[in-house]
Amino acid sequence: MKVSMAICAGFESYRASPVDMRVVTSDGQSIAAHSYVLASSSPVLERTIDSARRGWGAECTIRVLGVSADAVHAFIHFLYCSKVTPEEEEVVGAHGAQLLALAHAYRVGWLKRAAEAAVSARLTPDSAVDMLKLARLCDAPRLYLQCARLAAKDFAAVELSEGWRFASRHDAALKVELLKLVEDADQRKKKWARERAAQEACRQLGEAMTTLEHIFPGSDGVACADNAPCATDGCSCRGLQLLMRHFSTCAKKTSPGGCARCKRVVQLFRLHASVCDRTDQACRVPLCRNFKGKTQADKADKTWRLLVKKVTRAKVMSSLANRQVPEVVAASWARYNARVAKLR
């Protein structure tokens, strides 16, 4: 009631001229207003007023039904203001769903966007099903997406709501739609997890290729000692060194069953040959020349070419991320981040 009284107090300040129409609510309350203000704010109200007016200068009456009287007061108040001030956001939140329906029915776009944002910000699992149906009826994609995300995030709480129980008994289409949204969100989450895992695998393979070039450098490079710790920061050459030592001494690599670790080393050598841009004389990685010649003779399959492309891309991106940033650029980034932090 306090919200309603504040709206009425603000509404009175616009009545400098005589009113020429009245708006009747569902409970019979009558709200005096100016027809030219409402007609200029909504094309639907303009047609309604024209059809309700019986003569030039005569007072007309229109009915706004289906919502509370406070919501109608708020709706007319915002039509007079033509904007939502920060102080009035609480009013929009208090009547958000009803204002959204009214703004959609009377085609007041700016108020519809404000009400949609207010309802989306105050969405809870208890109201997710009801607001999903409202978003579908009022063509509110932002609210619809927010309801779908909330249902996918906390579906157990949504199932306990009264809206879900009502949809289960009386609205099978809405229930199926919501279940489909939850299933689609779950499928997208699994797809993103697979893509992230694939990207991480390509990144690790790119680092392995860089480590191989570090263990077996070219003529101008410095090799990493077999047992000494590497001087390069973040280098993981120790594990590959142990794998190379096993490959050189393993007796199972030529047996019929083979050795799993040795097969892994051979695949690394083959991948290195596919991404290596050195000449045969400059590259000292074992079997690089052999695999290069075999690749040129036998065309690799599509899956292998795609793997090589992804590993090459991950290798380049890793080198760019680890590059030394100039001091001027670093200082510029620091100033930009400081300004952004102040704005927040």
Side-chain angles (χ1 to χ4, degrees):
M1 185 58 66
K2 291 183 180 180
V3 173
S4 176
M5 292 301 293
I7 291 175
C8 294
F11 183 65
E12 291 291 340
S13 63
Y14 293 99
R15 295 182 174 175
S17 59
V19 297
D20 58 351
M21 67 169 294
R22 291 191 173 275
V23 179
V24 180
T25 62
S26 298
D27 58 357
Q29 294 187 28
S30 180
I31 306 173
H34 301 83
S35 60
Y36 62 89
V37 176
L38 302 190
S40 62
S41 302
S42 166
V44 179
L45 284 175
E46 181 181 9
R47 291 193 297 268
T48 304
I49 293 171
D50 290 340
S51 62
R53 194 184 300 277
R54 297 183 178 180
W56 180 259
E59 184 175 308
C60 65
T61 301
I62 63 173
R63 298 181 179 274
V64 178
L65 308 177
V67 296
S68 64
D70 290 344
V72 178
H73 274 280
F75 179 65
I76 296 176
H77 171 74
F78 288 124
L79 292 185
Y80 271 78
C81 296
S82 299
K83 64 180 180 179
V84 178
T85 61
E87 294 78 11
E88 295 172 330
E89 291 181 356
E90 182 181 353
V91 179
V92 181
H95 306 288
Q98 300 180 77
L99 286 177
L100 176 60
L102 289 172
H104 174 73
Y106 292 102
R107 296 174 60 184
V108 186
W110 63 268
L111 183 56
K112 178 180 177 180
R113 290 188 293 270
E116 183 180 3
V119 175
S120 300
R122 293 165 175 81
L123 194 64
T124 61
D126 292 336
S127 62
V129 178
D130 296 331
M131 293 302 104
L132 179 69
K133 188 171 184 178
L134 177 65
R136 185 177 59 180
L137 294 175
C138 296
D139 190 21
R142 179 179 178 180
L143 178 59
Y144 187 91
L145 180 60
Q146 193 70 17
C147 292
R149 288 177 176 174
L150 180 60
K153 181 180 179 180
D154 195 2
F155 185 66
V158 173
E159 280 186 311
L160 300 177
S161 64
E162 182 65 28
W164 174 262
R165 290 193 293 268
F166 179 85
S168 300
R169 293 192 299 265
H170 305 289
D171 197 344
L174 179 62
K175 179 181 178 181
V176 171
E177 180 181 1
L178 186 58
L179 289 175
K180 188 176 185 303
L181 289 173
V182 174
E183 183 181 2
D184 292 343
D186 186 58
Q187 293 296 329
R188 285 195 301 271
K189 188 182 298 184
K190 291 180 180 179
K191 180 181 178 181
W192 293 340
R194 291 194 300 267
E195 290 178 353
R196 286 194 295 267
Q199 291 175 359
E200 178 64 18
C202 291
R203 186 191 65 80
Q204 293 178 0
L205 287 174
E207 291 182 354
M209 298 301 101
T210 304
T211 305
L212 277 178
E213 295 174 357
H214 180 58
I215 296 176
F216 303 100
S219 56
D220 56 346
V222 179
C224 185
D226 191 32
N227 293 321
C230 183
T232 305
D233 294 337
C235 184
S236 57
C237 59
R238 181 59 180 169
L240 273 181
Q241 284 179 350
L242 296 176
L243 198 59
M244 298 303 158
R245 183 185 302 175
H246 168 81
F247 179 76
S248 61
T249 59
C250 182
K252 294 183 180 179
K253 60 176 177 287
T254 57
S255 60
C259 176
R261 299 178 65 186
C262 294
K263 291 179 181 178
R264 191 178 304 118
V265 175
V266 172
Q267 291 295 326
L268 287 177
F269 287 157
R270 182 191 174 191
L271 184 59
H272 163 78
S274 300
V275 302
C276 180
D277 54 356
R278 297 177 180 176
T279 60
D280 294 341
Q281 292 76 19
C283 184
R284 297 182 180 178
V285 177
L287 303 178
C288 181
R289 183 185 304 178
N290 298 339
F291 279 119
K292 281 184 179 179
K294 186 177 180 180
T295 303
Q296 294 176 359
D298 301 334
K299 187 176 180 181
D301 58 352
K302 183 178 180 180
T303 304
W304 182 261
R305 292 198 305 271
L306 182 60
L307 175 63
V308 171
K309 182 179 179 180
K310 291 183 177 180
V311 171
T312 304
R313 184 185 305 167
K315 183 180 176 183
V316 173
M317 295 302 294
S318 178
S319 62
L320 290 176
N322 296 329
R323 73 186 187 279
Q324 184 69 27
V325 180
E327 295 182 0
V328 177
V329 178
S332 177
W333 286 354
R335 290 194 298 269
Y336 174 77
N337 292 331
R339 288 197 296 268
V340 172
K342 289 181 180 180
L343 292 176
R344 292 178 180 176

